[in-house]
Amino acid sequence: MEKLQVPQGEFYLARYPKRKKEQLRAWDAADELVLNHIHEQSWLDTETRLLIINDSFGALSIALADYTPEMSSDSYLAIQGSRANLNANGMDVSTVSFHSSMDKLQGSYDRVVIKIPKSLAQLEVQLHDIRPHLHAGSQVIAAGMVKTIHKSTLALFEKIIGPTHTSLARKKARLVFCEFDAELNPGENPYPSVYTLENTDYKITNHASVFSRQGLDIGTRFLLQHIPASTLPLTIVDLGCGNGVVGLIAAERNPEAELIFTDESYMAVASAKATFTAAFAEQRQATFQVADGLEGIDDNSVDLILNNPPFHQHNAIGDAVAGQMFSAAKKALKQGGELWIVGNRHLAYHTKLKQLFGNYQNIASNKKFVILKAIKR
Ligand SMILES: C[S@@+](CC[C@H](N)C(=O)[O-])C[C@H]1O[C@@H](n2cnc3c(N)ncnc32)[C@H](O)[C@@H]1O
């Protein structure tokens, strides 16, 4: 655990889930910059109703715990990480109220702190979400690394909330100050969006943060072409389901199967549920769960796991998450059960599968992608 030192105090913070040999800190210079600013400007008092959006592992919520903040996030890992870090600092977990990105906000906020997300679409929906909960005296500060703040980012604040200006950069981080303009017409919130899956009538629902929300990802398309078919009553998991398109096609090809959709993003799971319900209405039952990988799924209980693994995790690039998913898959599979994955050829997932399962089979490959299957023996 590393120590965050800010005017509000010193706090021990770890990323979540904890990994051996973690190379990355649980906060960044933008967190430090906004915490310093809040302190210097005496921006908060104990009467302030404070909302914090996209706090990664609780750096902001924990440092500002004296103001009993509400924290809203699309990430289950961020919420669990913040809870774990509150505990690690001997703080009462109930000092922060947690909301998922799919929860409706209630009442009005005096102060809002936003960590600028990587996805402009996610920022757009968040600004639309908070606007009805601001009042004439509300103030919004956003913080981000310079590389995440573009003209288009500032234009969104101007369009949806009101007049906007930025601070000077410090340690490659910058603040965005935004005044609420009650007269502004912010236009329609364009999310969730829906596209029709090519060569089908299936409507694929995509909330703002969802992977490849404007159309089918090319790796996913390749996987869809090879999803196995069976008439057995299998248990199939769409692991890291995003908008649920993989599980949808698996359900079509496996008419007797029971489907489980899981993702760490609340918007992803809500999208998968909408996609599946639009396709099958009441005819098929499925389970939808926000979780870290296969958390909550019994060992030795699954016949088939389908996975297009993530390789960006909270901006940190690496295949650690994929590795964790594969080893969790091995536990969750029944003997003889299969893990099917699609990945970029250069990611060398076959080495990991061989290590874990002692076997793998190359199902298909093209110039960019490979589909691999491993069997639990
Ligand atoms: C490459 S996308 C694939 C999405 C979808 N299956 C598709 O092919 O369009 C990877 C997904 O894994 C999810 N994810 C990342 N880390 C996760 C974790 N620890 N547990 C569960 N899902 C996770 C991401 O939110 C994302 O939706």
Side-chain angles (χ1 to χ4, degrees), residues 17 19 74 76-77 195 209-212 215-217 219-221 223-224 238-247 262-265 268 289-294 306-313 321 324-325 342:
R19 295 197 175 94
D74 185 46
Y76 172 83
L77 298 179
Y195 70 79
S209 73
V210 166
F211 171 76
S212 206
L216 195 59
D217 166 64
T220 310
R221 177 182 295 129
L223 179 59
L224 294 189
D238 181 350
L239 169 58
C241 62
N243 57 26
V245 68
V246 170
T262 168
D263 202 291
E264 79 93 23
S265 151
Q289 63 176 44
V290 180
D292 181 12
L294 292 160
L306 301 165
N307 182 219
N308 177 7
F311 44 93
H312 297 271
Q313 185 79 359
V321 186
Q324 274 171 354
M325 285 183 163
V342 63

